[in-house]
Amino acid sequence: MQQKSIKPVLLSPEPRRKLSAILLLVLICSAAGFGGGLLAKNYPQQQTTSTGISRENQKAVLNESELISTIATNVAPSVVSVNVISQNASPEDFFGFGGGASESQSAGTGIIISDDGYIVTNRHVIPAGASNVSVTLSDGTELDSVEIIGRTNDSDPLDIAFLKIKDLKGKKLQKATLADSSKVKVGDKVVAIGNALGQFQNTVTAGILSGFGRSVQASDGNGVESLQNLFQTDAAINPGNSGGPLLNISGEVIGINTAVAGGPAENIGFAIPINDVQGLVKSVLTKGKLERPYLGVRYVAITDDYAYQFNLSVKRGAYILPGRAGRSSIVPGSPAEKAGLKEKDIIAKIDGTGLDEKNSLTSLIGRKSVGDEVTLTILRDGKEQEIKLKLEAAPQG
């Protein structure tokens, strides 16, 4: 599956320090003679290799290389290549010929989340017209009896789908370990594994976590999607990496690689924090089906700019937008409507956790399950109040 290209302007790069010192010459010169001799006597000169790299630095590089190699070796069996055949409607030509269906092939990556064959990947890896799906294990074994359990709606900011291997052919699967992605920090070392370009299986790249809380408009050629609360990384992510794991240095999954900046941008990739899909993982593993909990509101994540634009009293939270063109921002029949949420309400907290760059509304709801009761702390007309509601499954289609 072609990795999504990100097209906003912000992704286009293709598009004094003064030092002063007081020199105490007599003191320094006196100390230098004594101190220099002492150091030379007690501390031998740092050893270097033939390349001029100190042995200490070389050891540090080797240790990091060994760490990445160990992570790759340990986690590779939990990563699969996803191969998809889709049926696409062909338009008629000028003379009325053509039409019918055409077949296309694509590839992506998936993460094994249970030893009985459940796999999580991206929604865009499994398009709506997917008619046949197979997976290839890290040892090269191809398993072709694969069921599509479900995928989030195309308008859902969470780009997720689930598969189930129905016939393991006697293979023993190794499930990945999912981390608590709320504990990551900018600058943390990360490793990505994926089916690069759809043909280089289990390609390993490394980098750092460059940022979090990113929102982007992403396209894979079949439409544009709004994705929210993403990790940003400079670990190389290529077409085909979609659905693969972003790992911490313990070899645990902290994210699902989803998109990469297109155009002239370099080393700007995005991943869905694994905490955001924990509720979906739980529903699939316990019920065998995808149930997406939802509130049923149209909102914007408040930033400094949005707070200024809408003249809001707070700078973080989820602002339920005023309706427009006769369309309400509260979905009829949704948990939000039943609980009495209103347009222009600001959702500040969910179960006591404040909404901010690391905890978006989508993220916090994604950690819950259908049927959970949650407490929303909201601001209405400048006054804080709490509203309780029960999460329901998002409508399909």
Side-chain angles (χ1 to χ4, degrees), residues 167-182:
D167 183 1
L168 297 176
K169 296 183 178 179
K171 301 294 294 187
K172 185 176 181 180
L173 301 181
Q174 175 181 306
K175 66 179 181 179
T177 300
L178 308 185
D180 179 356
S181 58
S182 69

Side-chain angles (χ1 to χ4, degrees), residues 138-153:
S138 61
D139 64 2
T141 302
E142 184 171 359
L143 302 175
D144 53 13
S145 180
V146 178
E147 176 186 2
I148 301 173
I149 296 299
R151 53 199 299 278
T152 53
N153 297 330

Side-chain angles (χ1 to χ4, degrees), residues 166-284:
K166 298 172 68 177
D167 183 1
L168 297 176
K169 296 183 178 179
K171 301 294 294 187
K172 185 176 181 180
L173 301 181
Q174 175 181 306
K175 66 179 181 179
T177 300
L178 308 185
D180 179 356
S181 58
S182 69
K183 295 182 178 180
V184 302
K185 302 184 298 296
V186 171
D188 283 354
K189 193 75 179 176
V190 294
V191 175
I193 302 180
N195 185 17
L197 302 181
Q199 57 183 313
F200 301 116
Q201 186 178 1
N202 280 11
T203 295
V204 179
T205 58
I208 63 168
L209 192 72
S210 307
F212 50 78
R214 306 304 196 212
S215 295
V216 299
Q217 298 289 318
S219 172
D220 61 357
N222 297 315
V224 177
E225 298 178 2
S226 297
L227 306 177
Q228 301 175 359
N229 195 49
L230 302 176
F231 287 149
Q232 180 185 333
T233 178
D234 68 351
I237 296 176
N238 299 286
N241 276 110
S242 287
L246 187 68
L247 307 159
N248 60 21
I249 58 171
S250 297
E252 301 166 329
V253 179
I254 61 169
I256 299 172
N257 298 322
T258 299
V260 63
E266 294 183 4
N267 299 331
I268 301 179
F270 300 95
I272 299 170
I274 198 64
N275 279 11
D276 291 10
V277 302
Q278 288 284 20
L280 298 184
V281 169
K282 182 179 177 181
S283 77
V284 167

Side-chain angles (χ1 to χ4, degrees), residues 17-23:
R17 185 174 63 178
K18 186 175 181 182
L19 226 65
S20 61
I22 299 175
L23 302 180

